[in-house]
Each structure stands twice: as structure tokens, then as C-alpha cells.
Amino acid sequence: NIKETIAFINKEVDKCEMPERKVGKPLTNPKLLAKAILICEEFHLTERDAQGFIEVFGASLKLRDIDDRVIGNAYNKREVAFILKQIFDRNKDSDGKLMGDGSGLETSRKQNYGLNMKSTKEFLTSIVDSREIVQAFDFSGEEECKAMHSLIEEVKGDSLRLDSGFVDRELVRKIVELEIVPYIYPRKNNKINGSEGWREMYLEFFTDVIAWLSEYYQRVHCESFHSAFKRVFGVITKTRPHSKFIQVMARIILHNRARLSYFSRIKA
């Protein structure tokens, strides 16, 4: 796993396009900073530990020595986000069976989002496929249903499963227009009147409940992703908003790499 991760980081970062250079104080090569951040998140290193790690294993990482303060400041660089976004877009192969949900991300060990809904202000809304590979995510803090309106425009798939928190006629209309079959669990006060896509979704539910629920309950993969994501990578350790975003995106990239590697071995 360590060898695969290091090879992945080197290959993917090296083939990224560089951001446009701005006038001002020269910035350390964004590709080197992106590599350092991915190493920090993969091996759960503080910036100080990462500095020593890079000094020892820099040759394998194609990295020269980097000061811990430089690594810490890299989390707040837009140029690094530009590099990581390219890597994320290249590594989110989908099987077309999509599901989405939102989950709180703890910022300290004392917090527990499941027990205290007000214990954290950090909220991740994501769409994953049935292999738990993240296709799109929102970390802006926007309410999950509103965030889903924009996330569905970033994905391609055959079907999408959402819980009753996403019951929204306009959202269903957008999903159908994208030629994706929606499976959104109804509330008890739902009315069947609405757009053609809305009516058809719930008429299928009433016609064959078992078949509809068999499709809908594949949504468990999204819950599984959020659970594994928080368990493997732990709490959010950054404090500045942009730094938190970069930390989450780096972790999602590493999560997707591990899932894709796993399924490639199964096929082999």
C-alpha cells in the first residue's frame, strides 16, 4: 500500500498542469507542496513530522527538503487546490450507480456528530458510486439539499439514491433532465402531483415496493463511505476554511485511490 501510494502521488502530481503564475513573491513549486500535503494526509503526519519524513524518504518522493512552516502554509494556497482538483477529476471512475448524503465532520475528539448535531459546523455532502468512490463533494457548509442541486451537475450515472432529506420537486426535475433515474425515499406527507419525473418515481414505488426499495437501499454505500472516511483519516485538524477544504480534498483523493486499487486487484 505504501509503495502504491507513493507511486500514485508521484505519477498523478507530475502530470498536472501548473497554475498561472501571478506577480509577487515566488511560490515554492505547487506540485511539490501538493505532494507534501498528500503525504501528510496519507501517513497522518503533522507538518513537523512531515519535514523529517521528507528528509529521510525525499528521494522516493521526488521531493527536496521542505520546512514545516512551508508545508503548513501550503494548505492555504489556491495553487495547491488547482493541482489537487485535477487529480480528483482524473481519479473518480464511476459504475453509474450513484447515491448521495451529507455528514458532519468532527474537528476535535470530544465532538460526536451523531450524538450532538450542533457539535460541529463542518459538513460534507457527497455523491459516491456503489464502490464508494467519491464522484462529487461539497464542503462549503451549505445545507445538503441545496448543495445537491449543484453536485448532480458534476456527475454522470444511470441512477441516484437519496434519503427523505432530499425530497424536493425541483431537484427531482433536474436529476431527470440529466437522464438519471432518481430514487428518493418519500415522506409520509408527500403529494404525487408534480412534474412527470416526480410522479413516475413515486408511481413506481407504489407499483412494486420491493423492487424500488431494493434499488434505494444500495444507498448504504454512502453511509459506509462517510463512516470509513472519518474512521481512517480522523478529525479535521486545520482551522482556516481554505486549509480545511484542501485537507478534505486530499483525503478524498487518497480514499478514491485506495478503492480503485482494491477493485483493480479484484478484476485481475
Side-chain angles (χ1 to χ4, degrees), residues 95-100 128-132 159-162 183 210-225:
D95 64 1
K97 298 177 181 178
L98 307 177
M99 46 230 69
V128 307
D129 69 5
S130 65
R131 299 171 299 167
E132 299 174 23
S159 53
L160 176 63
R161 297 144 187 83
L162 302 168
Y183 293 91
I210 300 301
W212 196 94
L213 290 179
S214 296
E215 284 291 333
Y216 168 76
Y217 278 119
Q218 293 184 56
R219 198 186 67 85
V220 69
H221 291 293
C222 197
E223 302 283 0
S224 178
F225 156 68

Side-chain angles (χ1 to χ4, degrees), residues 6-187:
I6 291 176
F8 169 84
I9 292 173
N10 281 328
K11 182 184 73 172
E12 290 297 326
V13 174
D14 287 345
K15 66 183 181 183
C16 286
E17 296 181 5
M18 289 286 284
E20 293 183 6
R21 187 169 181 177
K22 297 182 179 179
V23 177
K25 184 179 179 180
L27 175 71
T28 303
N29 189 329
K31 290 187 178 182
L32 300 182
L33 298 178
K35 286 184 180 182
I37 287 173
L38 289 167
I39 289 297
C40 284
E41 298 306 324
E42 173 64 22
F43 299 108
H44 312 285
L45 302 173
T46 63
E47 286 85 359
R48 184 63 176 168
D49 288 341
Q51 179 181 343
F53 187 94
I54 291 169
E55 287 178 4
V56 176
F57 300 104
S60 298
L61 301 167
K62 298 180 183 178
L63 280 174
R64 62 174 185 268
D65 293 353
I66 302 179
D67 186 78
D68 60 332
R69 290 171 296 179
V70 175
I71 297 174
N73 290 331
Y75 280 88
N76 207 41
K77 301 296 183 183
R78 296 185 182 276
E79 294 84 355
V80 174
F82 181 82
I83 298 292
L84 294 179
K85 180 63 166 59
Q86 294 177 64
I87 300 173
F88 171 71
D89 288 339
R90 283 199 303 265
N91 292 275
K92 57 175 187 177
D93 178 48
S94 172
D95 64 1
K97 298 177 181 178
L98 307 177
M99 46 230 69
D101 201 5
S103 181
L105 300 181
E106 291 79 14
T107 56
S108 80
R109 294 186 182 279
K110 293 182 179 180
Q111 293 173 338
N112 186 310
Y113 186 76
L115 298 179
N116 184 356
M117 299 290 282
K118 297 180 180 179
S119 64
T120 178
K121 296 181 180 179
E122 304 307 330
F123 200 80
L124 174 68
T125 303
S126 57
I127 296 177
V128 307
D129 69 5
S130 65
R131 299 171 299 167
E132 299 174 23
I133 297 170
V134 182
Q135 305 299 309
F137 69 96
D138 178 273
F139 191 63
S140 65
E142 190 173 30
E143 192 268 328
E144 60 181 4
C145 187
K146 292 181 179 179
M148 192 59 65
H149 279 261
S150 58
L151 288 182
I152 59 173
E153 298 176 0
E154 302 176 24
V155 301
K156 293 181 180 180
D158 303 317
S159 53
L160 176 63
R161 297 144 187 83
L162 302 168
D163 64 23
S164 59
F166 297 92
V167 170
D168 182 328
R169 285 177 170 79
E170 179 63 18
L171 178 61
V172 172
R173 184 187 65 79
K174 286 184 177 180
I175 294 172
V176 173
E177 286 179 355
L178 293 169
E179 299 183 352
I180 300 174
V181 179
Y183 293 91
I184 303 179
Y185 198 80
R187 297 173 181 167

